[in-house]
Amino acid sequence: MNSTQLSTQYQGIHQRFIENLNRTRVLFERLVEHGGTDETDQWRTLRITDKREVAQFLFFESATQWENFAKQSLTLAIRDSYGISAQKADYVVGNPDQGLSRIMGWGDPKILKGRSANYLGINSTIAKINAIPGHGQNLYNRLSWSHKIRNRIAHTGPNKPYNDILNALGVPSNKRQGLGPARLLTDYPTSQPRNNRWFHQLILNYENVANYFLNNL
């Protein structure tokens, strides 16, 4: 497959990823902002706890989509650089027996950056994800926070990593009791309108990074 075909394929995975993010925004608006139930023959908006859980689920799904997009982005970049097939690219990045089937950590920008540096060089687009022009470390940091929030949703772990996220996201220490990812995503920063809290900011960050990849890979 030549570079033009790879470019077309990359445009395809980018388009699907952006469509998924936009779908997440639509569902947030419909379910979190305006969702309700008529189980008792009387329309009631969803309880705040239900809204938060829906937002958490939607965010987790977007984080999963990012992992898949990051994996596909790197493997396509490797195919373009090495001039190899999709199957061979899987084994270059993965291992000689199972390819990418057990290779994890795609959502972690530190791991993604390191893999790109190893296979494509320290000046490759993904390897420089922590220094995107005009954004510096900001987009990278937000990818890291998103990955850690995703992991907190999936697994209850030690408090320190999560407290580190709360520190980074500016949550006052006296407001952290019982503050899980769902509430963090929907209620903070409290100084921002509801459509610009961490849920929306981190979803937008995925989009910004994806657009940078599209224009620079």
Side-chain angles (χ1 to χ4, degrees), residues 56 59-60 148-156 181-182 185:
Q56 178 174 279
F59 181 81
F60 186 86
K148 291 174 182 176
I149 292 171
R150 177 259 179 228
N151 286 347
R152 183 67 175 194
I153 295 170
H155 313 286
T156 300
L185 291 165

Side-chain angles (χ1 to χ4, degrees), residues 1 4 22 28-29 34 41 51-52 54 70 98 110 122 131 134 138 159 167 170 173 188 190 204 208 210:
M1 183 177 293
T4 299
N22 288 335
F28 185 96
E29 182 69 17
H34 301 294
D41 295 326
K51 291 182 177 184
R52 288 170 178 164
V54 170
Q98 297 169 325
K110 181 178 180 180
I122 60 173
N138 186 50
N159 286 330
N167 284 333
S173 57
Y188 287 86
T190 56
L204 177 60
N208 287 337

Side-chain angles (χ1 to χ4, degrees), residues 152-171:
R152 183 67 175 194
I153 295 170
H155 313 286
T156 300
N159 286 330
K160 186 180 183 309
Y162 188 61
N163 282 333
D164 290 342
I165 297 171
L166 299 182
N167 284 333
L169 272 56
V171 178

Side-chain angles (χ1 to χ4, degrees), residues 169-170 172 186-198 201:
L169 272 56
T186 58
D187 293 10
Y188 287 86
T190 56
S191 60
Q192 294 295 316
R194 290 187 58 82
N195 64 356
N196 194 40
R197 292 182 177 166
W198 285 121
Q201 289 191 38

Side-chain angles (χ1 to χ4, degrees), residues 4 36 43 48 65 82 85 89 92 102 121 134-135 137 139 166 170 172 204 206 211:
T4 299
W43 176 260
I48 188 64
Q65 294 291 340
Y82 287 74
S85 68
V92 167
R102 294 189 180 182
H135 297 278
Q137 188 88 7
L139 301 187
L166 299 182
L204 177 60
Y206 283 142
N211 289 340

Side-chain angles (χ1 to χ4, degrees), residues 42 126 187:
Q42 181 177 1
I126 300 176
D187 293 10

